[in-house]
Amino acid sequence: MAPSIQLTSAGAGEDSGDLEDVRLLDSYDKNDVNDDGTNRIQVRITGMTCAACSNSVEAALMSVDGVIQASVALLQNKADVVFNRNLVKDEDIKNAIEDAGFEAEILHEPVSTGPKPVGDSTVVGQFTIGGMTCAACVNSVEGILNDITGVKKAVVALATSLGEVEYDPIVISKEDIVTAIEDAGFEASFVQSTSQDEIVLGVVGVCSLVDARVLESMLSGMKGVRQFRFDPLLSELNVVFDPQVLSSRSLVDEIRVVSNDKYTLHVRSPYARMASKDGSESSSMFRLFITSLLLSIPLFFMGVICPHIPFIYSLLLWRCGPFLMDDWLKWALVSVIQFGIGKRFYIAAFRALRNGSTNMDVLVALGTTASYVYSVCALLYGALTGFWSTTYFETSAMLITFVLLGKYLECLAKGKTSDAIKKLVELTPATALLVVKDKDGRPVEEREIDSLLIQPSDTLKVLPGTKIPADGIVTWGSSYVNESMVTGESIPVSKEINASVIGGTINLHGVLHIKATKVGSDTVLSQIINLVETAQMSKAPIQKFADYVASIFVPTIVALSLLTLLCWYTAGALGAYPDEWLPKNGNHFVFALMFSISVVVIACPCALGLATPTAVMVATGVGANNGVLIKGGESLERAQMVKYVIFDKTGTLTQGKATVSVAKVFAGMDRGEFLKLVASAEASSEHPLAKAILQYARHFHFFDESSLTNGSQNDANELKSGWLYDASDFSAIPGRGVQCIIDGQRVLVGNRKLLVESGISISTEVENFVVELEESAKTGILVACNGILIGVLGVADSLKREASVVVEGLQKMGITPVMVTGDNWRTARAVAKEVGIQDVRAEVMPAGKADVVRSFQKDGSIVAMVGDGINDSPALAAADVGMAIGAGTDIAIEAANYVLMRDNLEDVITAIDLSKKTFSRIRLNYVFAMAYNIIAVPVAAGVLFPSLGIKLPPWVAGACMALSSVSVVCSSLLLRRYRKPRLTTILEIIVN
């Protein structure tokens, strides 16, 4: 992993058309201009807070003459609008939204879903944000960032304490963004960005100021180094350089050479730096808690233990000036806790209020201040009048102590939710063996380099038992590689010359030389990590409930607290309860104030805010560990409601490896000549069936047994060698077959439709033979020459072994499986019967698969589509839940919501089951969070005190509040115990 190394500023790459180069995270929001006079744009909307807002925006857009369709996504703060460009301009759309009371911005550029280049001018920066406690904090930070000039979009995740900001570096710098976050009352630091000319290095060997100056002087003289900064405390060197002049590896090598190996440098991974910052945040919170605890223990002793020790108690009762020594000590200790350790609550509360928002810090600051101020006033009143009331200094101190304890435990628990990312990052080895070659390409030496400094085309040596450092191609050697940690496939894979390998996988036996093809953020492992991160950053629709509650929570609690104070004080003044209830030397106001403070500090908005994001974060990590990559919380939420699962046939239910099982000639032609003619016609086709026919014909022609089993893309040129006829005027007809001219004869190879549309009759004998093939789940390929049908080939594609069991498992789960295919009806029905699917749609063109999906969606049902090829992309995009199955390199992944890394249908059940388990946990979290506040607030207000005598002191209320959010996070962490469902359990099979 080396996002910080692959930082050359670049625009969106051009589509090369190579499926292997399709990135996992390449999803773009496009401004489409169609030939029918319509235009599609996306608009970012600021100010929406609830479903009513999105409905009003939709209504405003649809009222504009010329708008054909408008869809508003509340959580994404975006609207997708289709309109007639002859009647409506982009500016009219923007004005309609602004007239409805919201801010709008037309999105002219593609918006990235992760930290990668998004355009020619904008970059995406990732920032750690400390101090966020609830959804209100997230809303506040996002609002502030989105209002900054130069910021295109900002997304903040509470569970990860991360924010991703798309901004124009020409208009605003990352330092300005950090300052804006800090001005809002939070801690912030920059992690990484798509500005590809910056590297952070850890330096070993700088022991003094002189060493630091020597290092700086070396950098000053290096060509291509623009600026640098050395942090002696962290031993980190931050270098900004021109990648066109100086590469990251040459920078490190030059420093090493010039210094005569005095300095040892290694690249600091952004993930390692983030983990370090998380650890430092936990350590800082722990130090604050311990300090507060150590200062609170004397308060506890003075109030509970010392009265039983006469000598010490007499010292505490010694009058020193206007107050007792006991009062002086309590006042001093609590002042340090309140304004020293508790300063962070005041700062955060002030910034939140200044920005028009409220959060938990406001409640803590309000509750502790009320207790502290009352105690100080009670002392001063006693000194002036001689009437001494009970003080509650210890309440303030213990409140802060317990809140800090809760925050510390919450930091630890939240850190556990990101374990999946940490494990994925650890898959990449720290170092790699670089094979250095001379000008003639001969190896001259091997040297160890930082794996984050690997460059494309590097030749790397991989020893047995070590991890492969980057994606590449084997150039020498052979071995078996364990790819289970990336694909989930437990069986080792054989690797020969020209075989591709994945970074992070383990070489088991032989020595390999590989040529690095993808490094840094382009590797499969990096894309998986980015996808998991993106999913964890996303918000599930169910979270809108928590966002709504968070926006009104604190004002509501403050109002209830004041109401509690007023009710108890008024009731006391009217004599509604006996004076025996009052504390010693207390009065009605003090009695009411303690209930009021308890209400303020026991309420916890954090539990609601953490209920969804922590569960989604853990679930996406668990899914990644099981080879199921989830693209976001919305996808996770939809999957648990799936009613129909539509399977593509070829490559999804079947192996996707077609083989010719039979060839029959119906004309007076030699069998070998027939196969040679068919192979010649199919030689220019890229269709899988064409490849199967070529292999079969080659086997027949050369009696080469290996050609039937070991065919690969490398055979293509060999298959087109001189033994075939020359074909001209070749054309492939989608959904039909191919046609060409061979030796002046017009040759057609395809299905019935091709021959019928060409006016070629099909005899009864041929028809019966084709029907027989189709009823045995084979596809009949008809061949005609000069208008006469000359033969038929039967092509079979065997079912995956788990297909029928998975289909039955889905049915047991109450989900209806459906099969869709472009194959003929008889073959489709035969395959469906074999696998156990009742609902079949056959002879469906690629675009028609999306129509099939929409037909099932008409009644509001949630539909999942499982496919593996380019022709499945429209259906994957149209489905509520698209699942791309396979190794994760196909273009279908762009349209899918789930990526099933293994080519195993059992993962379809895993994906749906994980979704159901996750949202059961989220609902449980919400029930707990809501029940806690609904029950705790009345108890704290003293509702049970008159009848049962139950009264919660403020410090007990504070402890409950601190532990409530921790309980929700721990509840989400239980998802880490998730295990893939066993099909024997689903099918209720008794295994003896």
Side-chain angles (χ1 to χ4, degrees):
M1 276 303 308
S4 62
I5 299 308
Q6 302 300 313
L7 293 178
T8 303
S9 183
E14 295 182 358
D15 183 7
S16 66
D18 186 353
L19 297 185
E20 297 296 325
D21 289 335
V22 176
R23 293 175 51 86
L24 284 176
L25 298 179
D26 283 345
S27 60
Y28 297 101
D29 298 323
K30 299 179 180 178
N31 292 9
D32 297 327
V33 178
N34 301 320
D35 295 333
D36 59 359
T38 63
N39 195 14
R40 178 189 296 272
I41 65 168
Q42 291 195 334
V43 188
R44 188 183 69 183
I45 305 170
T46 304
M48 296 191 299
T49 58
C50 60
C53 298
S54 60
N55 292 338
S56 64
V57 173
E58 281 189 9
L61 289 171
M62 292 304 296
S63 66
V64 177
D65 185 27
V67 171
I68 301 170
Q69 180 181 346
S71 176
V72 179
L74 175 64
L75 296 177
Q76 286 79 13
N77 290 319
K78 287 197 300 187
D80 186 89
V81 187
V82 179
F83 59 93
N84 187 330
R85 63 176 180 270
N86 297 320
L87 300 177
V88 183
K89 295 182 173 60
D90 292 4
E91 199 63 28
D92 297 330
I93 302 294
K94 180 180 178 182
N95 292 337
I97 297 172
E98 290 176 344
D99 289 343
F102 303 92
E103 297 179 15
E105 177 188 356
I106 305 295
L107 297 176
H108 294 289
E109 298 180 17
V111 179
S112 172
T113 59
K116 62 181 189 294
V118 294
D120 294 330
S121 60
T122 61
V123 295
V124 174
Q126 197 174 63
F127 300 81
T128 56
I129 304 172
M132 295 190 297
T133 57
C134 60
C137 300
V138 174
N139 296 338
S140 176
V141 175
E142 284 185 349
I144 290 164
L145 290 174
N146 281 315
D147 289 338
I148 300 174
T149 302
V151 171
K152 303 290 185 181
K153 182 182 179 182
V155 179
V156 177
L158 176 64
T160 57
S161 296
L162 283 177
E164 287 186 358
V165 184
E166 182 193 349
Y167 63 98
D168 187 342
I170 299 174
V171 179
I172 186 171
S173 68
K174 61 180 184 291
E175 289 79 11
D176 295 330
I177 294 174
V178 170
T179 301
I181 297 173
E182 290 177 342
D183 288 344
F186 304 90
E187 299 171 0
S189 62
F190 176 76
V191 179
Q192 62 178 343
S193 79
T194 55
S195 175
Q196 299 185 10
D197 56 357
E198 187 172 357
I199 184 172
V200 179
L201 301 167
V203 185
V204 177
V206 179
C207 304
S208 64
L209 184 60
V210 174
D211 291 334
R213 288 178 177 172
V214 170
L215 178 62
E216 291 174 355
S217 64
M218 284 192 299
L219 289 167
S220 299
M222 283 187 189
K223 184 180 180 181
V225 174
R226 295 173 179 168
Q227 63 184 62
F228 56 86
R229 180 176 59 84
F230 179 71
D231 187 338
L233 295 177
L234 300 175
S235 294
E236 280 190 355
L237 177 64
N238 190 295
V239 184
V240 178
F241 61 95
D242 185 348
Q244 302 300 320
V245 179
L246 190 68
S247 70
S248 54
R249 190 164 76 213
S250 60
L251 169 66
V252 171
D253 290 344
E254 191 168 345
I255 294 174
R256 181 178 56 84
V257 171
V258 173
S259 67
N260 292 321
D261 291 326
K262 176 179 176 58
Y263 305 119
T264 302
L265 296 95
H266 58 276
V267 183
R268 288 282 175 89
S269 165
Y271 298 100
R273 293 166 62 206
M274 286 171 55
S276 176
K277 289 181 183 296
D278 290 341
S280 63
E281 182 181 357
S282 298
S283 299
S284 174
M285 198 63 67
F286 180 71
R287 285 193 299 270
L288 287 174
F289 162 66
I290 290 298
T291 304
S292 182
L293 179 63
L294 292 175
L295 292 174
S296 299
I297 288 175
L299 294 171
F300 174 78
F301 270 85
M302 283 188 283
V304 179
I305 306 298
C306 290
H308 302 286
I309 305 175
F311 174 72
I312 297 178
Y313 192 53
S314 62
L315 292 177
L316 294 177
L317 295 179
W318 175 51
R319 183 168 295 278
C320 183
F323 309 123
L324 300 178
M325 181 58 68
D326 177 75
D327 296 327
W328 282 114
L329 290 174
K330 286 182 178 180
W331 193 354
L333 289 171
V334 173
S335 295
V336 174
I337 297 173
Q338 184 75 32
F339 302 109
I341 299 171
K343 177 178 66 175
R344 64 188 306 276
F345 298 114
Y346 282 104
I347 295 173
F350 172 73
R351 297 283 174 78
L353 292 171
R354 189 181 68 178
N355 289 294
S357 61
T358 53
N359 54 27
M360 194 202 73
D361 295 307
V362 174
L363 295 179
V364 174
L366 186 61
T368 57
T369 301
S371 177
Y372 180 85
V373 169
Y374 169 77
S375 299
V376 172
C377 290
L379 282 181
L380 296 177
Y381 183 78
L384 293 174
T385 64
F387 179 79
W388 299 94
S389 299
T390 304
T391 59
Y392 294 91
F393 282 120
E394 65 279 359
T395 296
S396 171
M398 296 182 75
L399 267 175
I400 291 175
T401 301
F402 277 111
V403 170
L404 290 174
L405 172 61
K407 287 297 170 190
Y408 170 64
L409 295 176
E410 188 178 312
C411 283
L412 294 179
K414 285 164 65 177
K416 295 291 184 182
T417 63
S418 60
D419 278 354
I421 290 285
K422 295 174 185 175
K423 289 179 181 178
L424 288 171
V425 172
E426 290 170 357
L427 290 179
T428 304
T431 59
L433 274 177
L434 175 68
V435 179
V436 182
K437 297 182 178 181
D438 59 19
K439 294 181 180 179
D440 297 325
R442 292 189 296 260
V444 293
E445 68 167 317
E446 298 173 3
R447 65 186 182 92
E448 192 173 55
I449 64 170
D450 196 313
S451 63
L452 299 178
L453 296 176
I454 297 172
Q455 298 171 357
S457 299
D458 279 348
T459 298
L460 307 169
K461 183 177 181 179
V462 187
L463 299 174
T466 61
K467 294 178 180 178
I468 296 172
D471 293 0
I473 297 174
V474 177
T475 59
W476 179 87
S478 63
S479 182
Y480 280 87
V481 175
N482 180 2
E483 297 182 343
S484 61
M485 61 288 300
V486 175
T487 65
E489 192 63 59
S490 59
I491 301 175
V493 182
S494 175
K495 298 295 181 182
E496 305 284 345
I497 293 176
N498 292 329
S500 60
V501 291
I502 303 172
T505 56
I506 300 175
N507 178 28
L508 296 179
H509 302 301
V511 177
L512 294 176
H513 283 192
I514 68 168
K515 178 182 179 182
T517 56
K518 295 179 182 178
V519 299
S521 59
D522 290 328
T523 64
V524 169
L525 185 58
S526 296
Q527 292 174 43
I528 292 173
I529 293 172
N530 287 337
L531 192 149
V532 174
E533 278 191 322
T534 302
Q536 293 178 347
M537 289 287 296
S538 67
K539 294 181 180 179
I542 195 174
Q543 196 172 341
K544 64 185 179 183
F545 168 73
D547 292 339
Y548 170 72
V549 173
S551 65
I552 62 171
F553 189 89
V554 174
T556 302
I557 293 301
V558 172
L560 289 174
S561 174
L562 293 175
L563 182 63
T564 300
L565 175 65
L566 180 63
C567 290
W568 279 108
Y569 181 73
T570 303
L574 297 175
Y577 56 81
D579 290 343
E580 287 77 12
W581 287 5
L582 301 179
K584 184 180 178 181
N585 295 332
N587 53 44
H588 297 296
F589 177 77
V590 175
F591 185 67
L593 180 64
M594 290 301 105
F595 282 117
S596 178
I597 293 174
S598 294
V599 170
V600 168
V601 297
I602 202 169
C604 184
C606 301
L608 281 168
L610 292 169
T612 298
T614 53
V616 169
M617 188 170 184
V618 175
T620 51
V622 168
N625 290 336
N626 285 280
V628 177
L629 304 182
I630 307 165
K631 285 195 174 181
E634 186 174 0
S635 304
L636 197 63
E637 182 169 346
R638 284 181 178 177
Q640 48 112 18
M641 299 182 290
V642 166
K643 185 176 179 181
Y644 297 97
V645 174
I646 301 176
F647 292 96
D648 175 51
K649 179 179 77 71
T650 305
T652 303
L653 288 173
T654 66
Q655 298 285 352
K657 298 176 182 177
T659 57
V660 177
S661 59
V662 63
K664 187 172 183 178
V665 182
F666 290 94
M669 181 182 290
D670 178 71
R671 181 184 176 87
E673 187 69 16
F674 167 73
L675 291 175
K676 186 175 180 180
L677 183 70
V678 178
S680 301
E682 292 283 15
S684 299
S685 174
E686 298 296 330
H687 198 280
L689 294 183
K691 182 178 175 181
I693 293 171
L694 278 166
Q695 289 176 351
Y696 184 82
R698 182 175 184 271
H699 162 67
F700 187 88
H701 191 82
F702 293 106
F703 297 97
D704 182 358
E705 200 69 37
S706 65
S707 66
L708 284 177
T709 56
N710 297 331
S712 66
Q713 291 181 351
N714 295 328
D715 296 329
N717 292 330
E718 190 176 351
L719 290 173
K720 298 177 186 177
S721 57
W723 66 278
L724 296 175
Y725 297 121
D726 291 329
S728 60
D729 296 334
F730 175 86
S731 63
I733 305 170
R736 303 290 191 274
V738 300
Q739 64 180 9
C740 63
I741 303 295
I742 297 178
D743 290 339
Q745 303 177 91
R746 182 168 177 257
V747 179
L748 302 177
V749 182
N751 55 23
R752 283 189 189 85
K753 289 182 180 179
L754 177 63
L755 271 65
V756 171
E757 291 172 1
S758 300
I760 300 173
S761 61
I762 302 174
S763 66
T764 304
E765 180 187 6
V766 173
E767 180 65 28
N768 291 338
F769 181 73
V770 173
V771 169
E772 184 181 341
L773 288 175
E774 292 172 346
E775 288 178 345
S776 60
K778 296 182 177 68
T779 300
I781 306 297
L782 286 71
V783 184
C785 181
N786 280 343
I788 300 173
L789 196 153
I790 60 174
V792 177
L793 296 107
V795 181
D797 185 5
S798 58
L799 284 170
K800 291 179 179 177
R801 60 181 181 179
E802 74 277 5
S804 59
V805 182
V806 169
V807 167
E808 187 177 352
L810 290 172
Q811 291 169 339
K812 293 282 186 179
M813 296 169 68
I815 298 170
T816 304
V818 180
M819 189 184 82
V820 61
T821 178
D823 214 335
N824 63 81
W825 275 100
R826 286 194 184 91
T827 302
R829 288 194 181 102
V831 172
K833 182 179 180 181
E834 188 175 350
V835 82
I837 293 177
Q838 304 298 322
D839 196 340
V840 184
R841 308 297 167 94
E843 299 181 3
V844 179
M845 301 295 286
K849 292 181 180 180
D851 295 330
V852 172
V853 170
R854 283 188 278 268
S855 69
F856 284 100
Q857 293 172 325
K858 286 181 180 179
D859 62 352
S861 298
I862 302 297
V863 179
M865 172 72 193
V866 185
D868 71 320
I870 298 174
N871 61 344
D872 299 323
S873 297
L876 289 170
D880 299 289
V881 180
M883 296 184 184
I885 190 169
T889 56
D890 196 5
I891 198 169
I893 289 168
E894 290 187 36
N897 306 106
Y898 281 72
V899 179
L900 310 181
M901 295 297 291
R902 300 189 308 162
D903 192 13
N904 192 317
L905 290 171
E906 292 179 21
D907 288 342
V908 174
I909 290 182
T910 300
I912 296 173
D913 183 67
L914 177 60
S915 172
K916 290 179 180 290
K917 294 286 197 311
T918 300
F919 274 83
S920 294
R921 180 62 55 182
I922 289 174
R923 293 186 189 98
L924 184 63
N925 288 348
Y926 275 131
V927 168
F928 172 79
M930 290 298 295
Y932 166 80
N933 284 290
I934 291 172
I935 295 172
V937 171
V939 172
V943 171
L944 300 179
F945 184 71
S947 58
L948 301 177
I950 296 177
K951 178 182 179 183
L952 289 180
W955 67 270
V956 174
C960 293
M961 181 270 289
L963 294 176
S964 64
S965 57
V966 177
S967 301
V968 167
V969 178
C970 291
S971 171
S972 295
L973 285 174
L974 291 176
L975 283 171
R976 296 171 66 192
R977 301 172 62 185
Y978 174 82
R979 295 293 180 268
K980 297 171 66 172
R982 298 181 61 181
L983 289 176
T984 52
T985 303
I986 295 175
L987 300 178
E988 299 174 351
I989 298 174
I990 300 176
V991 181
N992 295 323

